[in-house]
Amino acid sequence: MPGALQLILGVILAWLALGLAGVFYPRNLYLVSRVLFPAGALGALALAAAALSALGGVTQSVVLPLGLPELPFHLRLDALSAFFLLLLGTVTAGISVFAAGYFRQGEGTAPGLQCLYYHVFIASMALVLLADDAYAFMVFWETMALSSYFLVTSDHAKAEIRRAGFLYILIAHIGAIGILLCFGLLHGTGDYTFDTMRAVQLAPLWATIAFALALFGFGAKAGMLPLHVWLPEAHPAAPSPVSALMSAVMLKTAIYGLLRVLFDLLHTQVWWWGVVILVLGLATALYGVVFSAVQTDMKRLLAYSSIENIGFILIGVGLTVTFQAYGMRALAALALTATLYHCINHAYFKSLLFLATGSVLHATHERALGKLGGLIHRMPWVAWLALIGTLAIAGLPPLNGFVSEWLLLQAFLFTPNLPQPYLNMLIPVAAAAVALAAALAGYVMVKFYGVVFLGQPREPSLATARDAGIWERIGLVWLAGGCLGLGLAPVWVIGVIDSVSGQLLGKTLGASATGWMFLTPISPDRASYAPLLFLLVILGVWALTWLAVRRFYHGQMHRAPPWDCGFEAQTARMQDTAEGFGQPIRQVFEPFFRMQRELPTPLDAKPRYRVSVEDHLWYWLYLPIVKFTQTISRVVTLLQRGRISVYLTYSFVTLLVLLLFVR
Amino acid sequence: MHLPLTSQIINLLAALLLLLSFSMLTQRRILSLINLFALQGLTLTLAILVVAWSTGQHHLYYSAALTFVLKVLVLPGVLHRLIRKLNVKWDVETLINIPTTMLVGIALVILAFNVALPISQLAGTIAKSTLGIALACVLLAFLTMITRSKAVPQVIGFLAMENGLVFAATSATYGMPMVVEFGIALDVMVGMVILGVFFFQIRERFESLDIRHLEKMKDE
Amino acid sequence: MISWPGLIAQLTEILLAILLAPVLLGWVNQCRAWMQNKSGPGILQPYRTLRKLFAKEAVLAHNASPLFRAMPYALFACMCLAAAIVPILGTDLPFSPAADAIALVGIFALARVFISLAAMDIGTAFGSLGARREMMVGFLAEPALLMVLFNASLISHSTSLTTIVEHLAHVEFVIYPSLAFAGIAFTMVSLAENARIPVDNPSTHLELTMIHEAMVLEYSGRHLALIEWSAALKLFVYSCIGIALFFPFGIAEGGDAAGLLLALPALAAKLAIGGFVMALIEMISAKMRIFRAPEYLGTAFLLAVLAMLIHLLLGS
C-alpha cells in the first residue's frame, strides 16, 4: 500500500507523461482532447483523494535523488500542503474536463503543445506545494512561471498578447528574486532545507526583513497592490482554461507560500506585520472591486475581481498574524479558517466564471461586454451554471462565497480589546471596508451577468451562438456543484480546514456545537448559520407560493412585446452598456481612476462617445521606474562601442584589475 | 459593572455633541448650520448641568447659564439677523465632497481619542472618558472651517470650536475658573462683533462673501 | 432544541408578517395623504390592489427568460425568510439559528440581485436604468445596514438577532450612545432601501426619476402582485428590525404565551408610530438628485461606522 505522497508523485509523473504524449502528436486534436485531457482530469481526482487522505494523517516526506549533486529535492506532505493539493486536484479536474472540449485546431499554439504546457504547469504547481527545500521550491516555482508564460502567450501572433506575456514574466521574476532573498535570509548558516530554516532563530530585524521580502515576492505572484498590474493583462490574454487555472490555483500557491513562510518557517510573529498585510489587503480588495466595476472586457472584469478576492484572503492572513502575535489562538484559528475557506471558494467560483466566459468566447468570438447580451436564450447551460458562480462570487447566501465572508466578518466582530489603541479603532473601520467591498462585488457581478447573459443580443451575430459542448458542460457542472457543496456543507469543509489550523496555529476552530447543519464557530447563541435550512426555507416558500397562486387564482399568461412605458421603437442599443452600468461607480469613485472622456455635443451629426479608464498606479509608480531603468541603461550603453578593439580593451583592463587585486 | 446613570447620560450627551459636530460638517445650508449650532449649545448646556448636579460644583451652574444665554439665544439670534441682512441664506458647496470630509472626520476622531487617552486616564472626573470626544469636536469644528469657502459658515465653525473647548474643560477639570470663562465669553462676543463688521466690509469690497476673493489681496 | 410551542409561535409570526405587511404600507400612505390634506384611499387599499393584480392575467414580454418568471417567487421567499428570523413578537424562534444578522443582510442582498437581474432580462432602457440605480443604492445601503447591526452585536456580543433582542430588552437598563448614531444611520438606510423619499418616490409617475418602479415596469398580473407584496413585507421587516434594535421593550422573552399576547398590541402601537414618523419624514423632505443618493447613503454608512467607534471610545 503506497503512501499518499507516493500516489501524488505518481499522478505528477503521469501528468508529465501525458504532456510528453502531446508533444509527439502535436496536431492530433482527437488524441489530445478525448484521451489526454480527460486522463489528466482523472489524475487530478486521484491526487485530490490522496491529499484528502493525507490531511488528517501524519506528515510524510521523501528525498528525491534528482537535481544537482549534493542538492537533492526534498518533498514533504503535511496538512497545509495537503489542503492546497486538495484545492488543486478538485478544481483542476473540472478545468481539465472543460479543456478537453475547449482547445481547438488553429487557435494559436498546436493542441499537443498546449497539452504539454498545461500538464507541466499543473505538475509544477503540485510540486511547489510539496517542496521542502528552497532549491526545489525555486526550481518548481520558476517552472510554474515559465510554463504559464507559454500558455499565456499561446496566441502569440497578436502583439498585445506578447506584451501581456512579457509584463507577466517580468513581474513574476522580480517577485521570485524577493522569494529567493527571503530564503537566503531564513536559512541562517545551514543548508537550504525547510527543516533547517524551522530551526533557525532570527533576530527581530532580520525576521522583519525576511517577512517584507516574502510579502513582496508572494504578493507579486498573488496580485497584491501595487504589484497587481500583470494580472488584468495576463488573464484575458490566456485561453480560458488557463485563465481559470492561473486565477484559481496559481494565485493560491502564492498564498500557500506566504502562509508557509509566516507560520511554518518564521515562527515568531510581530503584530504590526499583520496590520501591514491587513491594510494592503484592504487596499487590494477595494481597488480590485472598484476597477472591475468599470471594465468593459469580460475577462478583464474577472481578472480585477480576482485581485479583489486576493485582497480578502490577505485581510484574513493579516488578521491571523495579528491575533497569533497577541496569543489569541481561537480568533487566529477563526481568521485562518476564513482565509483558507475563501481560497477554496475563490478557486471554484472564479474558475467556473472564467470557463463560462471561455464558452461565450467560443460561441460568439466576442470578449467585449458591449457586443454581448441575451445569451441566456442561446446558451442556457452556460448561463444557468454561470448564474450559480455569479451569485457565489457576489457573496450571497446560501452559496459558498457568503460563508467565507461571514467567517471573516465574525473574526472582525469578535475581536476583543487589543492592546494597541490605534489598532483597536482600525478593526471596525476595516470591517466596514470589507462590507463595502463585498457589496460592490454584488454590483460588479450583476453588471457581468446582466450584460452578458440577459437583455437583448447587442449584435445580430449572437443569434447563431451555440451552447457549450458536453465536455465543457461536465466541467462547468463539476465546478458549479462545488460552489453549491461548499456553500451548503460548511461544517464539513471547516472540519477539513481544522487540520491545517491545528498544524499552523496549534488550535482548531471546531465548526459546530449543535450538529452538522448549524455552523456555530464560537458558540450557538453568539453566531450561527445553517445554509441548508436557509435554502430549504426559500425553496419551500417558493413552492408554496407557486402552488397557492395556482390554487387560488390561475396561471394564465400571454406574451406581448416589451412595454417599456409604451415606447415602441425599442432597440437593443438602448440597454445599458457595460460603460453605462459602471457609470455610477466611475462617478462615486472618481479619484481612483485616470479617466479620459470624449463627449458629443448636442449639435454633432455623428455623435461619438468614448471613455477610457486607466490606473493611476501605472503612471505614478511603474512609468517612473521604467524611465529610471531607461536612463541607467542609456548610461550602460555608452560602454557599447561596436569596435572589437574597444571590447578587447575592456577584457584587458578587467584582467589587469583582477591581477592587481587578487594576486 | 455598568457606569452610574449620570455618567451614562453624560456619555450620551457627549455622543450627541459629536453627532452634531458631524452634522455641521456635512451641512450645506447656512440656516440649518445655525440651528445645529444652537442645538449644540443646548446639548452643551445640558451636559454642564448634569456634571454640575452630579458633582455639586456650583460654579458650573453659572457656566451653564452663560453658555445657554450666549450660545443658544444670543449668538444664533445675531447670526440669523446677519444672514438676513447680508442675504446669504442659500446653500454653500463644501470644498471637498461630503463623504470624503466625513472620512477625514472619522480619522480625526480616532486621532483625538488616542491623543486624549493618557490625559483622560490622569483626570479623576466623572466625565473623563468624554475628553476624547471633546477634543474631536474641536478638531471637527476646525475641519468645518477649513472646508467652507464662505465667511459665515467659517464663523460658525469657529464658534463650534469654542463649544468643544468648553466641553473639554468641563469634562477634564470641571470647567475653567469663572474669570477665564467670562473672559472667553467676552472674547467670543467681541470676535463676533468684529467679524460682523468684517462681513459687511468684505461684501462692500467684493460684492460677495466668498473668502476666496481675499486671495486677490495678497501683495497689494 | 426545537419546541412545538416555538414552532407554532414561529409560524404564527411569519403568517402575521405576511398578512399584516400590506396594512403597514397602507397606513404609511394614509398618513401621507392626511398630512397632504387629502382623504386618502384607506389603509386597506394595498389588499385591494393585490386582489386585483392576482386576478389579472400576466402579460410577459416575448423575450422574457425563465429567470424573469422565477424572480417574483424568489423575492417573496427571501422576504418571508427575513420575516422568519427577525424577532417580531417573541425571541423563541426555531428558524433563527439558520441565519444571523449578517445573513439577514445577505438575504436582502440576494433579493436585490434577483430583482436587478430580472430588470435587465427584457433589455429595455428603463429596466437596466432601474437595475443600475438599485445596485448603486444597494452597494452603500447594504454595508450601512450591516454596520448598524454590528453596533447591536458589539453591545450584546452576538450576531444572532434573538440574542441581541434578549440582551437589549431584558438586561438592565443602560443608555448606549452608539445606538443614537446607529439609529440615525438606520433611519436613513431604511428610507433608501424601501424606495421612499428622499431617495426614491413610491408614487412617482415620471419614468426618469424612478428606481424601484423602473425595475418592475415589465411585470404585470400575479408577478407584480408578488413583487408589491414583497415590497410591503420588506417595509414591515425593516420596521421590525428598527423596533428590535432601538425599541425592543415589549418583545416577549422566550415563548411564553402571555408575553406574546402582550407583545401584539405593543407591536401594533410601535408600528403605527413608526409608520407615522416615516410618512412625516417623507412629507418634510424633498427627493434628492440621483447623484446625491450616494452622498446620502455614504453619510449613513460612515455614521454607522462612527457609532462603532463611539462604542469603543466610551467603552460602554
Side-chain angles (χ1 to χ4, degrees), chain A residues 377 406 410 413 428 443 454-456 525-528 530 554 556-560 563-565 570 575-576 580, chain C residues 55-58 60-64 97-98 100 117 120-121 123-124 126 128 132 157-159 163 207 218 222 308:
Chain A
H377 302 286
W406 189 82
Q410 295 287 359
L413 201 55
Y443 189 103
L454 302 176
Q456 302 175 38
D525 60 339
R526 291 183 71 170
S528 73
H554 54 84
Q556 288 168 21
M557 182 186 83
H558 87 256
R559 297 267 181 174
W563 155 236
D564 201 31
C565 290
Q570 173 76 30
Q575 306 170 80
D576 263 22
Chain C
K56 284 199 173 193
E57 181 188 47
L60 238 66
H62 287 306
N63 61 341
D100 62 353
L117 286 177
M120 293 181 84
D121 185 50
T124 59
F126 286 125
S128 46
R132 162 163 41 95
H157 302 290
S158 165
T159 57
T163 316
E207 296 92 338
E218 300 298 323
R222 57 179 183 278
M308 303 218 303

Side-chain angles (χ1 to χ4, degrees), chain C residues 91-106:
Chain C
T91 55
D92 181 22
L93 300 176
F95 284 163
S96 140
D100 62 353
I102 304 175
L104 178 71
V105 179

Side-chain angles (χ1 to χ4, degrees), chain A residues 208-400:
Chain A
T208 302
I209 295 175
F211 156 75
L213 286 168
L215 187 63
F216 176 82
F218 291 116
K221 197 68 170 182
M224 179 184 77
L225 209 72
L227 300 162
H228 62 283
V229 281
W230 63 272
L231 220 147
E233 305 297 329
H235 283 208
S240 291
V242 178
S243 321
L245 262 188
M246 286 172 70
S247 190
V249 190
M250 192 183 77
L251 301 185
K252 306 305 176 311
T253 60
I255 300 297
Y256 161 82
L258 193 60
L259 291 174
R260 174 68 76 194
V261 169
L262 277 176
F263 293 102
D264 192 17
L265 304 184
L266 272 172
H267 15 104
T268 48
Q269 271 102 31
V270 183
W271 64 269
W272 63 264
W273 295 359
V275 178
V276 170
I277 305 177
L278 175 68
V279 169
L280 279 173
L282 283 173
T284 309
L286 276 175
Y287 182 92
V289 73
V290 166
F291 267 83
S292 78
V294 296
Q295 296 309 311
T296 52
D297 174 317
M298 58 179 174
K299 289 182 82 174
R300 276 181 84 93
L301 184 147
L302 291 180
Y304 272 111
S305 148
S306 286
I307 296 179
E308 177 223 342
N309 282 286
I310 286 296
F312 278 136
I313 293 169
L314 286 175
I315 291 167
V317 176
L319 277 182
T320 316
V321 172
T322 308
F323 292 145
Q324 186 74 358
Y326 284 130
M328 302 165 179
R329 294 258 178 113
L331 273 168
L334 178 60
L336 185 69
T337 308
T339 310
L340 294 177
Y341 211 126
H342 202 74
C343 280
I344 197 160
N345 284 343
H346 178 241
Y348 272 90
F349 52 61
K350 190 49 67 66
S351 51
L352 173 60
L353 289 179
F354 262 125
L355 296 183
T357 60
S359 294
V360 170
L361 195 59
H362 261 176
T364 63
H365 306 288
E366 277 301 343
R367 249 171 51 189
L369 288 167
K371 297 190 170 169
L372 294 166
L375 290 176
I376 196 169
H377 302 286
R378 309 296 317 173
M379 309 177 71
W381 274 88
V382 175
W384 286 101
L385 292 170
L387 181 63
I388 294 180
T390 305
L391 296 180
I393 200 170
L396 298 174
L399 290 158
N400 59 351

Side-chain angles (χ1 to χ4, degrees), chain B residues 1-210:
Chain B
M1 175 63 216
H2 287 299
L3 298 166
L5 191 64
T6 44
S7 278
Q8 286 184 31
I9 294 175
I10 291 170
N11 279 351
L12 179 68
L13 289 170
L16 281 180
L17 271 181
L18 189 63
L19 185 61
L20 287 167
S21 294
F22 264 98
S23 334
M24 287 169 77
L25 190 59
T26 57
Q27 187 54 256
R28 285 198 176 85
R29 303 179 61 190
I30 294 182
L31 270 177
S32 317
L33 206 56
I34 295 172
N35 294 340
L36 284 172
F37 170 70
L39 208 56
Q40 202 187 29
L42 190 65
T43 318
L44 182 63
T45 311
L46 285 177
I48 299 175
L49 276 179
V50 174
V51 174
W53 181 75
S54 63
T55 60
Q57 303 265 340
H58 289 290
H59 73 273
L60 281 179
Y61 286 113
Y62 301 116
S63 172
L66 189 66
T67 309
F68 184 74
V69 172
L70 196 61
K71 308 260 175 62
V72 186
L73 303 177
V74 179
L75 287 180
V78 171
L79 285 168
H80 271 295
R81 265 177 64 94
L82 206 58
I83 61 165
R84 245 199 330 274
K85 281 212 174 148
L86 291 166
N87 197 18
V88 284
K89 62 180 171 195
W90 48 81
D91 292 11
V92 186
E93 283 297 322
T94 50
L95 292 181
I96 320 170
N97 75 5
I98 283 172
T100 318
T101 323
M102 276 204 66
L103 270 181
V104 178
I106 286 181
L108 285 182
V109 171
I110 295 178
L111 182 81
F113 181 73
N114 283 297
V115 170
L117 194 62
I119 309 170
S120 58
Q121 274 164 355
L122 281 180
T125 57
I126 58 162
K128 60 183 181 184
S129 56
T130 58
L131 189 61
I133 290 188
L135 189 55
C137 287
V138 175
L139 294 181
L140 288 174
F142 214 133
L143 190 63
T144 314
M145 287 175 71
I146 292 172
T147 54
R148 308 300 149 121
S149 61
K150 292 283 194 306
V152 178
Q154 283 203 325
V155 169
I156 300 174
F158 169 71
L159 296 172
M161 202 154 85
E162 211 263 337
N163 277 351
L165 280 177
V166 171
F167 187 59
T170 313
S171 60
T173 60
Y174 296 137
M176 296 173 263
M178 226 39 224
V179 185
V180 180
E181 210 148 303
F182 269 115
I184 290 179
L186 204 65
D187 271 359
V188 170
M189 284 296 288
V190 172
M192 195 60 222
V193 172
I194 293 175
L195 286 168
V197 177
F198 175 69
F199 287 160
F200 286 101
Q201 288 299 321
I202 54 175
R203 199 183 53 160
E204 296 264 298
R205 179 89 169 74
F206 299 114
E207 303 277 305
S208 151
L209 274 180
D210 195 329

Side-chain angles (χ1 to χ4, degrees), chain A residues 573-594:
Chain A
R573 293 186 59 92
M574 290 175 189
Q575 306 170 80
D576 263 22
T577 54
E579 288 91 347
F581 208 87
Q583 189 255 359
I585 302 289
R586 278 208 310 276
Q587 178 140 356
V588 175
F589 294 94
E590 199 170 351
F592 276 66
F593 309 118
R594 187 186 183 94

